[in-house]
Amino acid sequence: MAAWVGATGVSFLVALTGATLAWMVSEGKTHPVGAVVAIVATLVVGSAPVLVRPESLTSSWEADRPTVTVAAVQGDVPGAGNDLVAVHEQVTENHVQATIDLAQQVRYGAVPQPDFVLWPENSTAVDPCRNAQTNSGISRAVTAIGVPVLVGAIVDGPRPDAVLNQGLVWAPDGSTKERYTKRHPVPFGEYVPFRSQLSGLKIGRLDMIPRDMIAGTRIRPLDIAGTRVVDLICFDAAFDDSVAAQVRNGGQMIAVQTSNATFTGTPQLQQQFSISRARAIETGRTVVVASTNGISGVIGPDGAVRDQLTPRTTDIAVAQVPLVEAQTPAVRYGSLIRQVLSLAGVAAVITAAARRRLPRLRRLGGWCARR
C-alpha cells in the first residue's frame, strides 16, 4: 500500500489494525462494528502485497524509458569500522582508489562506463574545497573515471562553529556547483539543541560535537549529467518531506548517501536499508544506496533488492537505472493524506477521551440529583 498511501498511510493502517484488535480483546467480546473495522483493516494490510502489488503501478513506467548507468562505491572503514573520524583520510583514499579501479575495469570492458558515480556520506570528513590532500584525491578519481562523482562531504559552514553535510556533484572540470545539504541533521549527533543553555552544565560528551550542523532547505533534485537525482543523506530517508518534494519537482531516481560506520554491528544498518526499500515502493523510483561500509545496494521500484554489497568490504555496485517521470498517488497526494490521517488521529483521541469522561459525568449528575 506504500505506493498508494505512503509510509505514513501504511503506518496508520498497521496501527489501526493493532489498536482495533487490542480493543476487541480488552472488551472481552466481539463488538459488531469493531469486528468489521478489524477485519477490513487486517485484510487491507495483510493482503495488499498479494492483491495490489506496487509493480502494477511502476512496471509499465520502466518500460521503454531512458536509463543511466550508476556506480555506487562502498570504500569501507579500516580497523573496527566504527570510528570513521579517526581514519578519515584512509576512508577517502579507499573511495578514491576504488573509483580508479572502476575506471580500469571500464577500460578493460569488464563493466559499462557509468554516467555518474555515487560516493557515500562522509566519504570525506573534511572540506574538500579547503583541504589540498582531499581535493587532490577526489580530482584524481574524477579524472580517472571521466564522469561526475556525487561526493559525500563535511563542508565548513558560514561561521566557525557551523558545518554542512553535503552531497557535492564533482564534475570532471573540477566544479561543484550542484550541491545538496542534509535537511535533517541528527540532534545530539550532528548538532546540540539549546547549546547555550546546556553549556553551563559541563557535559563532557557535548564537547564531541564542537560545531553545529546547519539544516539544508533544497527541495529540487540534483542535476547530474542530465539526470535529475533525488539526493537523501542518511537520516533524511526517514522523513517524508525530504523525499516527496524532490520527486514532485522532477526527480527521476533516488540516491541515498549514508555513513553507518558508528552503528557497525547493530540492526541500524538493516533498518535504514529497509527504509530505503519503503521509499522505493512509495515513489516508484529505483533507489541506489552508497554506504561507507554497508549496507550498499540497488533497490527496484517494487522494493526488491537487485544488488547488495557485503558489509565491511570495499566493493562497487553498477546498475542500469530507468529514469521515471510518473508519480505514484502517495507522492501526488501525500501531503493531503498526512493531514487527513493526522486529523483522524486527533479526532479519535478526543472521541475516546470524551467517551471515557461521559459515564463519570452521568454518575456525578445522578449523585448530585440524589443530594
Side-chain angles (χ1 to χ4, degrees):
M1 293 298 293
W4 295 93
V5 297
T8 300
V10 171
S11 299
F12 182 86
L13 289 173
V14 172
L16 175 64
T17 304
T20 304
L21 291 172
W23 170 58
M24 291 169 57
V25 171
S26 67
E27 288 290 311
K29 59 181 179 180
T30 303
H31 192 285
V33 176
V36 172
V37 173
I39 291 171
V40 171
T42 302
L43 288 175
V44 168
V45 176
S47 65
V50 177
L51 301 179
V52 194
R53 290 186 179 276
E55 58 262 35
S56 65
L57 281 178
T58 59
S59 59
S60 61
W61 298 354
E62 292 187 87
D64 302 321
R65 295 297 306 169
T67 63
V68 293
T69 302
V70 181
V73 179
Q74 176 180 288
D76 198 18
V77 178
N82 59 1
D83 192 354
L84 185 147
V85 176
V87 291
H88 69 90
E89 292 180 350
Q90 186 59 51
V91 170
T92 300
E93 183 59 29
N94 285 357
H95 288 84
V96 169
Q97 192 56 52
T99 304
I100 293 174
D101 292 344
L102 171 65
Q104 190 172 31
Q105 294 180 52
V106 170
R107 286 194 295 272
Y108 292 156
V111 296
Q113 170 73 44
D115 292 288
F116 71 90
V117 176
L118 177 63
W119 283 12
E121 175 192 30
N122 275 357
S123 43
T124 168
V126 295
D127 192 330
C129 298
R130 299 187 179 185
N131 183 281
Q133 178 180 339
T134 302
N135 188 295
S136 175
I138 296 174
S139 296
R140 283 191 293 117
V142 175
T143 299
I145 196 64
V147 298
V149 176
L150 181 54
V151 178
I154 301 300
V155 176
D156 295 336
R159 57 181 191 273
D161 62 346
V163 68
L164 303 170
N165 191 344
Q166 293 189 328
L168 309 178
V169 181
W170 202 290
D173 63 3
S175 65
T176 56
K177 296 177 181 178
E178 281 287 285
R179 299 185 177 207
Y180 170 83
T181 303
K182 186 175 184 178
R183 287 174 57 89
H184 294 280
V186 181
F188 297 105
E190 294 172 321
Y191 73 98
V192 179
F194 313 110
R195 183 186 286 273
S196 59
Q197 289 85 351
L198 294 173
S199 59
L201 300 179
K202 304 299 182 182
I203 302 174
R205 284 185 175 270
L206 297 186
D207 295 335
M208 298 172 65
I209 311 168
R211 298 190 292 176
D212 287 331
M213 191 170 289
I214 299 175
T217 59
R218 179 169 180 150
I219 59 173
R220 294 179 295 106
L222 293 170
D223 184 351
I224 308 180
T227 300
R228 297 189 298 277
V229 180
V230 175
D231 191 17
L232 303 175
I233 298 180
C234 195
F235 204 41
D236 281 343
F239 290 85
D240 293 345
D241 62 344
S242 301
V243 184
Q246 293 188 67
V247 175
R248 283 197 299 269
N249 286 326
Q252 298 167 306
M253 61 161 289
I254 298 174
V256 176
Q257 298 177 283
T258 184
S259 174
N260 293 333
T262 305
F263 302 97
T264 297
T266 75
Q268 190 271 353
L269 280 67
Q270 186 60 55
Q271 179 191 51
Q272 191 178 76
F273 197 70
S274 296
I275 292 173
S276 298
R277 293 182 65 190
R279 295 305 183 188
I281 301 170
E282 180 181 47
T283 62
R285 264 75 174 157
T286 297
V287 176
V288 181
V289 182
S291 174
T292 47
N293 57 359
I295 299 173
S296 305
V298 181
I299 304 165
D302 58 354
V305 178
R306 298 184 176 177
D307 193 4
Q308 182 172 321
L309 304 182
T310 303
R312 298 304 318 281
T313 63
T314 299
D315 204 352
I316 298 175
V318 180
Q320 293 284 335
V321 178
L323 302 181
V324 177
E325 302 284 350
Q327 295 183 357
T328 62
V331 170
R332 189 176 292 115
Y333 307 114
S335 179
L336 177 61
I337 292 170
R338 286 191 293 274
Q339 292 175 20
V340 170
L341 294 181
S342 296
L343 290 174
V346 171
V349 171
I350 293 173
T351 301
R355 287 173 62 87
R356 290 180 64 85
R357 184 174 178 79
L358 186 58
R360 295 194 185 98
L361 292 177
R362 286 175 176 170
R363 289 196 297 271
L364 180 61
W367 180 80
C368 291
R370 290 194 297 272
R371 297 287 291 178

